[in-house]
Amino acid sequence: MTVLDIRDLTVRFATHDGEVAAVSNVSLSIAKGECLGIVGESGSGKSQTFLAAMGLLAPNGRATGEVNFSGMNLLTAGEKALNSVRGNKVSMIFQDPMTSLTPHMKVGRQLAEVLVRHRGLSAADARAQSIAMLKRVQIPEAERRFEAYPHELSGGLRQRVMIAMALLCAPELIIADEPTTALDVTVQAQILDLIRIAKDETNAAIVLITHDLGVVAGLADRVAVMYAGRIVEVGDVRQIFKAPQHPYTKGLLACTPRLDDETGGALLTIPGQPPNLQRLPPGCAFNPRCAYVMERCLRERPALLPDAAGGLSACFLTNAQGAP
Amino acid sequence: MTAPLLQVRDLKVHFQVRSGGLFGTSIPLKAVDGISFDLKAGETLGIVGESGCGKSTLGRAVLQLLPATAGTVAWLGSDLTALDKAELKAQRRNMQVVFQDPLASLDPRMTAGDIIAEPLRNYHAELSTAEIKARVKEMMEQVGLLPSMINRYPHEFSGGQCQRIGIARAMILKPQLVVCDEPVSALDVSIRAQIINLLTDLQRRFNLSMLFISHDLSVVRHISHRVMVLYLGKVMELADRDALYRTPRHPYTQALISAVPIPDPEKERAKPRVIVNGDLPSPLNPPSGCVFRTRCPKATEICAQVAPPLEHAGAGHEVACHHWRE
Ligand SMILES: Nc1ncnc2c1ncn2[C@@H]1O[C@H](COP(=O)(O)OP(=O)(O)OP(=O)(O)O)[C@@H](O)[C@H]1O
Ligand code: SF4
Ligand code: SF4
Ligand SMILES: [Mg+2]
């Protein structure tokens, strides 16, 4: 069952030196119980895709297309409807929990208020459920932590509080944007375990945005790879890692140093620089860096279409468009 | 046998931190607490550990950018901590540093050419402007920058290019030692691979010695000959690269290695996990005995009482744990 369905989403920002197309014609859908990994380098549009979907764009941004969730199009739904969706049916977890926690309010009150506001619980019930949730995300001494201010907690505990808050209203969709990027690796492992448990227990759809291919390999069911604001490949996680189709996906996997790499030697690289969204070349945006570039790639933009591996990719070499 | 280029013995860097108490007392933060190691010519020593383990402080103390509280840093046999300013300046041309944040570590008002030329001007007053320019352009080429970009300012470069400028500046005096402090952490993966290859290549070409400081165990495995694992200012384990990654002896090293996600769904989901509990303790209040004991799955009573000394666990393999044999 589809939980979120994004159709042809385009996000543009007005800036002093012209328009920036941060996200272009992105279509994605996520089913119940599914974890969709979104990967790509900095500036590829991962975050803006989902901020736009949730009506959280900066004032200079405009989104077009459709974002279907819970029987409405969130892009046209209006602030009131969005407020009833966010923090309730949809939870968001960010890299820095401090951006989502109110600094001068006790952690417990912030949790309980969500339940009072969205679920109409009494103060006592909200408190009991909040403490139970803190325990569920394995926060030691949950009763004491309920009374703590965010700054009194370590980074790892704060991220657990965020996850507790995200799970509180039993959301249908959780959007986690680089949830472990700021954490030390041993703490990251704990938080990833927690997300894994939440995924198995809740049946919520999870969007996991990260630049870390290892994190996606461990958690996602499907993966979408973004480059210069577009999805260039999407498919089953095992297929993407075993048989990447798009030259950018191949490059990304090949240039990542791996802990299990015994051979050493020079890493394969993707030549050139990351794309400048305001100066994209005509045709395929990856063409200045692509080892397989053809004449056609300089003129025409490849569409995202089914490929031989069973996923979708946007390259003339791999998808149906390229077939003679 | 060639003597090591660098010999660090029982190095300590303690900072006094105001405890905020009524009497304004201060307590020591033992950022680096008794670290010893050797570095040979042409060798890369990876230094890994999580936040607050003292990696960067160690790098700075080795270069005498920070005063050591105790211990010695011997460069080709002579103790750097005992040198006066002028002597230190003369030695320092052999030791350079590359920092994490490429843009922030470059002076925004200087052109790329001036930034790269600065060490030359400091140490080679005899060189003419034309000679300096020629050397800068040659170095730019070596690090993969177009020499035609010599008059551009840092903000006109990408993050990866700024890091190349920082590397060019570090390399222009042909130093024997380069300390790299998280040199690729701020870069995107595709650019990270380019810079890792560049550093490896320069290291081989110039027979450089490198201290490669990083929290990223995958990158460290790729680039290092030997690896030192730090936790709260102390060495937990020091070994040749392959020995450390194939047969880690210290529970902390084992936990670190098992925590790094591998970009392979089959392997990542099947691998055994050593989950260590809790967060890193505050370096202001480290645990007694073994500093890792509050999170260690193997901890016993003795671990709380006696700090484990570094023991030999094989050729060139040292480990600080009471129970590494078990
Ligand atoms: N308010 C804004 N005005 C102009 N451009 C913006 C604005 N917000 C974001 N952008 C641009 O939109 C593009 C996509 O940004 P986005 O944050 O989605 O990237 P990302 O893939 O999440 O990157 P990262 O990995 O760095 O988080 C970037 O080029 C960014 O600079
Ligand atoms: S469409 Fe052409 S340039 Fe783009 S990825 Fe495919 S081969 Fe490369
Ligand atoms: S000395 Fe004890 S606490 Fe420390 S690492 Fe070894 S077993 Fe663990
Ligand atoms: Mg982002």
Side-chain angles (χ1 to χ4, degrees):
Chain A
M1 197 194 84
T2 301
V3 173
L4 178 75
D5 184 49
I6 297 176
R7 287 284 131 224
D8 209 24
L9 178 69
T10 292
V11 178
R12 293 200 160 83
F13 291 101
T15 70
H16 61 274
D17 54 1
E19 206 176 52
V20 179
V23 179
S24 301
N25 312 101
V26 163
S27 296
L28 274 174
S29 66
I30 306 144
K32 196 171 170 183
E34 182 185 44
C35 177
L36 174 68
I38 312 285
V39 300
E41 294 179 85
S42 191
S44 58
K46 307 183 294 295
S47 299
Q48 295 307 326
T49 298
F50 290 91
L51 288 173
M54 292 302 127
L56 293 171
L57 278 185
N60 65 331
R62 285 280 163 279
T64 57
E66 264 176 55
V67 176
N68 298 304
F69 178 81
S70 203
M72 46 181 164
N73 176 3
L74 297 184
L75 290 190
T76 55
E79 216 30 45
K80 199 161 162 242
L82 283 172
N83 277 331
S84 77
V85 165
R86 290 190 297 242
N88 187 19
K89 289 183 177 170
V90 182
S91 295
M92 304 188 83
I93 302 170
F94 296 103
Q95 173 172 342
D96 179 6
M98 284 311 247
T99 57
S100 337
L101 292 167
T102 313
H104 49 265
M105 199 196 276
K106 284 181 183 169
V107 162
R109 216 179 117 205
Q110 302 193 41
L111 288 167
E113 263 189 12
V114 174
L115 288 170
V116 173
R117 178 154 30 99
H118 288 299
R119 291 283 134 112
L121 260 58
S122 73
D125 286 350
R127 181 190 156 89
Q129 277 203 22
S130 301
I131 290 176
M133 187 55 83
L134 290 176
K135 286 183 179 157
R136 213 173 121 204
V137 299
Q138 297 155 25
I139 292 186
E141 304 175 76
E143 282 89 355
R144 188 162 73 78
R145 259 54 188 257
F146 187 85
E147 304 294 341
Y149 290 95
H151 69 87
E152 295 171 326
L153 303 177
S154 67
L157 280 182
R158 261 184 239 143
Q159 202 53 293
R160 281 177 198 271
V161 169
M162 274 314 300
I163 292 172
M165 185 152 353
L167 296 176
L168 217 46
C169 288
E172 290 165 38
L173 173 66
I174 298 172
I175 299 171
D177 192 350
E178 306 275 2
T180 59
T181 304
L183 303 174
D184 278 313
V185 61
T186 54
V187 180
Q188 161 169 291
Q190 300 165 6
I191 299 295
L192 292 176
D193 250 30
L194 200 58
I195 297 177
R196 201 169 285 125
I197 293 168
K199 176 180 183 254
D200 295 342
E201 285 182 359
T202 65
N203 219 14
I206 299 178
V207 174
L208 180 68
I209 302 173
T210 175
H211 66 276
D212 189 330
L213 293 170
V215 169
V216 161
L219 270 175
D221 301 307
R222 266 192 318 138
V223 182
V225 183
M226 293 189 72
Y227 188 81
R230 290 176 193 274
I231 295 178
V232 295
E233 179 159 7
V234 51
D236 171 77
V237 66
R238 289 188 167 79
Q239 175 255 304
I240 294 265
F241 280 86
K242 203 179 285 161
Q245 298 294 301
H246 196 280
Y248 176 64
T249 316
K250 286 184 187 167
L252 208 53
L253 280 166
C255 75
T256 304
R258 295 170 59 133
L259 186 80
D260 59 341
D261 178 10
E262 300 252 330
T263 54
L267 290 166
L268 294 175
T269 59
I270 301 175
Q273 301 297 324
N276 178 338
L277 289 176
Q278 281 168 292
R279 249 168 264 140
L280 290 181
C284 173
F286 190 57
N287 73 40
R289 307 176 78 187
C290 182
Y292 310 96
V293 59
M294 306 168 285
E295 219 275 300
R296 183 181 182 187
C297 314
L298 307 176
R299 291 180 277 112
E300 244 180 284
R301 183 186 308 122
L304 185 67
L305 293 170
D307 57 39
L312 305 173
S313 49
C315 170
F316 295 122
L317 285 178
T318 64
N319 69 27
Q321 255 175 323
Chain B
M1 217 178 84
T2 53
L5 213 55
L6 187 71
Q7 275 180 307
V8 175
R9 288 294 172 272
D10 206 21
L11 189 66
K12 293 184 182 171
V13 183
H14 295 181
F15 300 108
Q16 291 300 317
V17 178
R18 293 283 300 264
S19 67
L22 191 55
F23 303 105
T25 48
S26 64
I27 43 174
L29 188 156
K30 298 177 179 173
V32 171
D33 200 25
I35 290 180
S36 303
F37 65 89
D38 288 349
L39 187 67
K40 286 185 294 208
E43 183 180 50
T44 299
L45 175 66
I47 300 177
V48 293
E50 298 174 280
S51 56
C53 73
K55 312 184 284 293
S56 298
T57 309
L58 175 62
R60 270 154 229 245
V62 165
L63 294 176
Q64 307 297 309
L65 297 172
L66 266 179
T69 310
T72 56
V73 177
W75 173 257
L76 294 169
S78 75
D79 183 4
L80 292 179
T81 57
L83 299 184
D84 66 31
K85 251 193 171 161
E87 291 169 323
L88 192 59
K89 185 184 172 196
Q91 285 302 334
R92 214 178 245 148
R93 58 161 301 160
N94 291 317
M95 305 165 211
Q96 297 291 324
V97 60
V98 176
F99 292 109
Q100 167 168 4
D101 189 340
L103 193 56
S105 59
L106 305 178
D107 186 335
R109 293 155 307 183
M110 287 168 76
T111 62
D114 285 334
I115 291 169
I116 299 168
E118 200 176 26
L120 273 184
R121 295 209 169 92
N122 281 341
Y123 285 96
H124 290 279
E126 79 283 0
L127 288 179
S128 71
T129 313
E131 275 171 305
I132 288 183
K133 194 165 174 185
R135 288 205 198 178
V136 167
K137 286 194 164 180
E138 188 200 320
M139 191 36 89
M140 287 179 79
E141 237 164 283
Q142 302 241 25
V143 300
L145 287 169
L146 290 175
S148 59
M149 295 173 155
I150 191 164
N151 289 322
R152 291 211 200 160
Y153 290 89
H155 72 265
E156 297 171 82
F157 289 95
S158 69
Q161 289 172 327
C162 285
Q163 200 52 295
R164 288 177 196 268
I165 296 174
I167 292 169
R169 176 178 58 182
M171 291 300 301
I172 193 112
L173 293 172
K174 307 263 172 344
Q176 289 168 281
L177 169 69
V178 176
V179 174
C180 299
D181 191 354
E182 303 271 10
V184 296
S185 303
L187 305 175
D188 260 320
V189 266
S190 69
I191 307 305
R192 183 178 301 175
Q194 296 175 4
I195 299 293
I196 291 172
N197 285 351
L198 171 64
L199 286 170
T200 318
D201 181 48
L202 291 172
Q203 192 267 326
R204 292 210 186 108
R205 233 180 318 148
F206 298 107
N207 199 34
L208 274 182
S209 301
M210 259 193 330
L211 289 184
F212 190 90
I213 298 168
S214 175
H215 69 280
D216 186 327
L217 278 95
S218 307
V219 171
V220 166
R221 175 166 203 171
H222 199 86
I223 208 162
S224 311
H225 301 110
R226 278 194 307 147
V227 179
M228 179 158 84
V229 180
L230 300 184
Y231 190 78
L232 292 184
K234 288 189 166 20
V235 178
M236 299 290 109
E237 188 160 8
L238 174 60
D240 286 343
R241 185 248 321 260
D242 287 339
L244 190 107
Y245 284 88
R246 287 183 194 150
T247 50
R249 300 295 187 198
H250 197 283
Y252 178 57
T253 315
Q254 291 165 355
L256 270 182
I257 288 175
S258 99
V260 177
I262 298 170
D264 176 333
E266 310 294 346
K267 279 196 185 179
E268 177 58 16
R269 289 168 207 223
K271 77 178 184 190
R273 286 198 160 66
V274 187
I275 294 276
V276 297
N277 295 318
D279 282 302
L280 287 120
S282 159
L284 278 173
N285 187 18
S288 64
C290 173
V291 284
F292 185 55
R293 72 171 166 84
T294 51
R295 306 172 75 202
C296 181
K298 281 173 138 186
T300 60
E301 215 167 290
I302 186 179
C303 306
Q305 285 144 16
V306 183
L310 270 175
E311 289 178 32
H312 287 283
H317 197 149
E318 292 176 85
V319 55
C321 170
H322 294 301
H323 301 302
W324 70 267
R325 283 184 184 82
E326 294 152 30

